[in-house]
Amino acid sequence: MVRVTVSPSSRRRRKRILKQTKGFFGDRKNHIRQSRNAVMSALSFNYSHRKLRKRDFRSLWIMRIGVAAKIHGISYSRLINGLKRGGMEINRKMLAEMAIRDPTGFKVLAEKAKIALVA
């Protein structure tokens, strides 16, 4: 009976790991044992950081909206409350973009939010 070797499949496995370590530093890019550990860590961080990025961007948008709201004499929480009461459905990403790129439009929204709070 012919002896079966696993070299083609094991080589393929090693090549796949080493291909994923492109750009890693030191022995982590060309030694299979360290590369395997580095890839596993990188993939787990990759997964969790995709979730964290959403959180980071939301807090960035909130900061930008808060600063722009203070310029127009209203706090962030009162602005959001006024927009909800006024029936203006606009998300925080778009509000942050308006605060930076369209200050006059943001001013109109802030004024409408103030009116909605009074009414």
Side-chain angles (χ1 to χ4, degrees):
M1 191 158 197
V2 180
R3 187 172 76 92
V4 177
T5 63
V6 293
S7 58
S9 55
S10 62
R11 190 181 317 111
R12 195 175 313 122
R13 233 184 347 261
R14 283 195 297 269
K15 279 179 75 170
R16 186 174 61 232
I17 294 288
L18 290 174
K19 196 173 183 182
Q20 288 177 311
T21 60
K22 184 177 178 187
F24 285 19
F25 186 78
D27 286 348
R28 293 160 58 97
K29 71 173 174 279
N30 52 14
H31 289 85
I32 190 64
R33 193 175 298 170
Q34 289 162 339
S35 294
R36 192 173 291 129
N37 290 334
V39 165
M40 295 313 258
S41 297
L43 290 175
S44 66
F45 282 126
N46 184 13
Y47 177 80
S48 61
H49 289 165
R50 281 199 306 271
K51 311 298 175 202
L52 289 174
R53 188 182 339 149
K54 295 165 179 57
R55 191 184 310 169
D56 292 341
F57 269 107
R58 184 178 168 94
S59 66
L60 175 68
W61 299 330
I62 289 171
M63 276 188 266
R64 287 177 176 173
I65 295 165
V67 169
K70 285 286 184 193
I71 291 170
H72 297 298
I74 188 171
S75 70
Y76 168 79
S77 59
R78 288 178 56 79
L79 174 77
I80 295 296
N81 190 16
L83 289 174
K84 283 199 173 133
R85 283 189 184 182
M88 288 168 266
E89 296 283 329
I90 184 165
N91 62 18
R92 285 160 180 80
K93 182 178 179 180
M94 290 300 114
L95 274 173
E97 284 295 312
M98 280 184 75
I100 293 170
R101 300 189 198 286
D102 184 22
T104 55
F106 189 84
K107 183 179 181 181
V108 170
L109 281 177
E111 296 300 325
K112 287 188 177 183
K114 285 180 190 176
I115 293 167
L117 283 172
V118 173

